Amino acid sequence: MLGRVNHIAIVVPDLGKAVASYRDTLGASVSAPQSLPEHGVTVVFVELPNTKVELLEPLGEGSPIRSFLDKNPSGGMHHICYEVDDILVARDSLIERGARVLGAGEPKTGAHGRPVLFLHPKDFFGTLIELEQV
Amino acid sequence: MLGRVNHIAIVVPDLGKAVASYRDTLGASVSAPQSLPEHGVTVVFVELPNTKVELLEPLGEGSPIRSFLDKNPSGGMHHICYEVDDILVARDSLIERGARVLGAGEPKTGAHGRPVLFLHPKDFFGTLIELEQV
């Protein structure tokens, strides 16, 4: 079921500082920031040869990553996103095997404009997993 | 400087359960466990099309991931490993830019038999970064 690692998401408290660090200190290629108010985040992409890292900063008071930052004020790794061919087939198979899908269980449109679902981190050893249909 | 994401490392409290979950629930290809006593871990590789996830369980009392599991009893994402061409050039460049290398600053032989270094997570927004020379 799991396809490519689409991205690894890292929440940071200050996107400007994080961009400078990844670009200037680590020498990576970093995109311009994109504000996604409907997702409550501002994001930049660190482009690696085989996948990407997404640096996320909370945007707005209702940001879904605000509580993560409250618990981890320095920031930290937030989730891994895997690609799947068919998100409904993946969801149904996962539920059949006892995994829990976050929210109402219906795919939402993710930050890349494609259907996504999140799986409960308690079912996967503390790792929040995003599935994205590509 | 940063090349491919070589792997994403996840610490788990029970490798057998984690293997079953990634293989049977998530439908991924998972390698046989390898005990690496000199690194204090038992590891399996979850093979994805573009990179891999390493599931790590502590091995022995002096395991370097024991304290992580004490703080995160369910497990969690532990580090990201990026490939670099020349680890000494990378190290010197990072130190010049103010980043801290963990330990004595000399590369060690990592779990894949290649030179590795770890960077201080406080310099990279709570993310532990491993560099591996390939």
Side-chain angles (χ1 to χ4, degrees):
Chain A
M1 177 193 306
L2 292 187
R4 296 174 73 257
V5 172
N6 182 276
H7 63 268
I8 306 139
I10 297 176
V11 171
V12 300
D14 183 325
L15 199 55
K17 282 188 187 168
V19 166
S21 177
Y22 275 81
R23 186 188 56 207
D24 303 335
T25 308
L26 291 167
S29 172
V30 183
S31 74
Q34 295 178 28
S35 292
L36 303 170
E38 69 279 24
H39 294 284
V41 299
T42 303
V43 60
V44 303
F45 303 104
V46 180
E47 301 286 354
L48 289 318
N50 60 333
T51 187
K52 56 185 183 283
V53 166
E54 293 190 7
L55 303 176
L56 303 172
E57 183 188 59
L59 176 64
E61 283 313 302
S63 172
I65 57 171
R66 178 75 63 188
S67 64
F68 180 88
L69 208 49
D70 289 342
K71 281 180 219 146
N72 305 275
S74 304
M77 286 184 274
H78 185 263
H79 68 263
I80 301 181
C81 176
Y82 297 99
E83 298 178 357
V84 295
D85 288 333
D86 186 318
I87 203 155
L88 296 179
V89 169
R91 176 196 65 184
D92 293 348
S93 162
L94 284 159
I95 290 171
E96 194 182 305
R97 289 169 171 80
R100 286 168 288 178
V101 173
L102 295 186
E106 293 305 312
K108 294 190 176 173
T109 300
H112 311 131
R114 294 188 292 226
V116 302
L117 281 175
F118 284 89
L119 307 181
H120 202 303
K122 285 214 186 295
D123 293 337
F124 297 99
F125 315 96
T127 298
L128 178 60
I129 292 177
E130 180 179 16
L131 300 178
E132 178 171 312
Q133 179 173 301
V134 293
Chain B
M1 177 193 305
L2 292 187
R4 295 174 74 257
V5 172
N6 183 277
H7 63 268
I8 305 138
I10 296 175
V11 171
V12 300
D14 183 324
L15 198 55
K17 282 188 188 167
V19 165
S21 176
Y22 276 82
R23 187 188 56 206
D24 303 335
T25 308
L26 291 168
S29 173
V30 183
S31 74
Q34 296 177 29
S35 292
L36 303 171
E38 68 279 24
H39 294 284
V41 298
T42 304
V43 60
V44 303
F45 303 104
V46 181
E47 301 286 356
L48 290 316
N50 59 332
T51 188
K52 57 185 182 285
V53 166
E54 294 190 7
L55 303 176
L56 304 171
E57 183 188 59
L59 177 64
E61 284 313 302
S63 172
I65 58 171
R66 178 74 63 188
S67 64
F68 180 87
L69 208 48
D70 289 343
K71 281 179 221 149
N72 305 276
S74 305
M77 286 185 273
H78 185 263
H79 68 262
I80 301 180
C81 177
Y82 297 98
E83 298 178 357
V84 295
D85 288 333
D86 185 319
I87 203 156
L88 296 180
V89 168
R91 176 197 64 185
D92 293 346
S93 161
L94 284 158
I95 291 173
E96 194 182 305
R97 289 168 170 79
R100 287 169 288 177
V101 174
L102 295 186
E106 292 305 313
K108 294 191 175 173
T109 300
H112 311 131
R114 294 189 291 227
V116 301
L117 281 175
F118 284 88
L119 308 181
H120 202 304
K122 284 212 187 296
D123 293 338
F124 296 100
F125 315 97
T127 298
L128 178 61
I129 292 177
E130 180 180 15
L131 300 179
E132 179 171 311
Q133 180 173 301
V134 293

